Amino acid sequence: MPNERLRAALLERGATVADLAESIAVDPKTVERWITKDRTPYRKHRYAVASFLRMDEAYLWPAALTPEQAAAVSESEIVTVYPHRWAVPRDAWGRLFTAAKQEIGVLVYSGLFLAEDTGIVRLFADKASAGTRVRILLGDPECAEVAQRGADEGIDDGMAAKIRNVMVLYRPLRQVEGVEIRLHRTVLYNSIYRGDDQLLVNTHVYGQPAANAPVFHLRKVTGGDMVSTYTGSFDAIWADATPLES
């Protein structure tokens, strides 16, 4: 069977077989065999192709990695683990978003600490104006999932109140082209903060506020799929969310 994923990836990249072959220094006929006969390249070539196409090696050749190899590569995506969100250095948030050129993403129930940081809000506006896509997902304050999270944290209606506060704080952002804010009705197991291929993932722990739960700093590595798992979750929630009206 042909490798349709590789063929489609080339088309999406706007590249030809010859372009790929030249980039990774192999014969075009070799690339053709990878596509038409679904031949699996050597590992160094898989990495080079994935890098050229800006895609996951595991997506292009899902059967190529052993479980041990996949685990080792994914482990290398972990940059730092913080025991609590409050233990994350303040400038780590700024570095994450400042470095982003293509995409900034925020998936939270409220994320009040972020909305209260006027420097971060201004950074979001500046990034959007410079062409970076900024997507923010907030919990719908009217939904049962937000009510349940408030109950779990012991603040009851306080969770919905915090979200409404964030809506007010983000009001200036809602007028900036390139900034999109939507409301979701999802049970969140993590809050996700994205700057291109880097993430700060704040786990959620029953009975604890998010500020007291661990945070994982992840950076995308070719062949790893931890970052892709979280960004895929973000995109799925985004697709079902409702735009916040101005």
Side-chain angles (χ1 to χ4, degrees):
M1 294 290 290
N3 189 331
E4 295 296 346
R5 291 185 177 187
L6 180 54
R7 190 197 307 275
L10 276 171
L11 290 173
E12 290 174 12
R13 180 81 157 75
T16 65
V17 166
D19 293 333
L20 176 57
E22 181 180 359
S23 173
I24 64 175
V26 299
D27 191 289
K29 292 181 180 179
T30 299
V31 177
E32 285 283 3
R33 285 193 291 272
W34 294 344
I35 297 173
T36 60
K37 299 183 183 299
D38 197 16
R39 298 280 177 82
T40 301
Y42 292 120
R43 193 173 186 185
K44 68 174 184 178
H45 288 144
R46 296 200 306 268
Y47 282 170
V49 172
S51 178
F52 176 81
L53 295 174
R54 303 192 189 103
M55 302 195 76
D56 295 331
E57 175 196 359
Y59 172 79
L60 296 171
W61 294 283
L65 293 179
T66 67
E68 292 78 11
Q69 289 172 328
V73 174
S74 292
E75 184 178 349
S76 67
E77 292 188 298
I78 302 173
V79 179
T80 310
V81 178
Y82 300 97
H84 312 284
R85 195 185 70 201
W86 54 258
V88 179
R90 185 180 180 278
D91 63 350
W93 303 96
R95 289 197 304 271
L96 176 75
F97 298 128
T98 298
K101 298 184 182 303
Q102 304 298 323
E103 170 130 14
I104 288 173
V106 175
L107 168 60
V108 291
Y109 277 129
S110 71
L112 180 59
F113 79 100
L114 212 59
E116 287 180 326
D117 189 326
T118 55
I120 291 292
V121 175
R122 185 163 54 247
L123 176 62
F124 286 171
D126 291 344
K127 282 289 184 177
S129 297
T132 301
R133 186 183 188 188
V134 178
R135 294 191 291 172
I136 300 173
L137 280 160
L138 304 173
D140 185 336
E142 304 295 335
C143 75
E145 291 77 11
V146 165
Q148 185 61 56
R149 182 60 187 175
D152 292 345
E153 288 192 11
I155 61 173
D156 297 322
D157 293 340
M159 180 60 70
K162 288 202 295 184
I163 295 170
R164 292 189 179 95
N165 190 8
V166 169
M167 290 179 181
V168 173
L169 293 171
Y170 279 155
R171 191 173 290 159
L173 276 182
R174 290 152 64 181
Q175 313 305 318
V176 178
E177 186 175 354
V179 176
E180 303 171 81
I181 302 178
R182 295 185 182 183
L183 300 179
H184 69 86
R185 293 171 168 255
T186 308
V187 176
L188 286 187
Y189 303 102
N190 308 274
S191 295
I192 299 174
Y193 306 87
R194 178 182 183 182
D196 288 343
D197 289 337
Q198 294 194 64
L199 305 178
L200 288 172
V201 178
N202 186 186
T203 64
H204 289 186
V205 178
Y206 179 81
Q208 295 286 333
N212 206 40
V215 172
F216 302 97
H217 180 185
L218 306 178
R219 178 184 286 114
K220 180 64 182 171
V221 172
T222 300
D225 59 7
M226 288 184 66
V227 169
S228 298
T229 297
Y230 284 112
T231 55
S233 175
F234 184 104
D235 289 338
I237 294 172
W238 180 262
D240 288 336
T242 304
L244 178 61
E245 297 181 1
S246 301

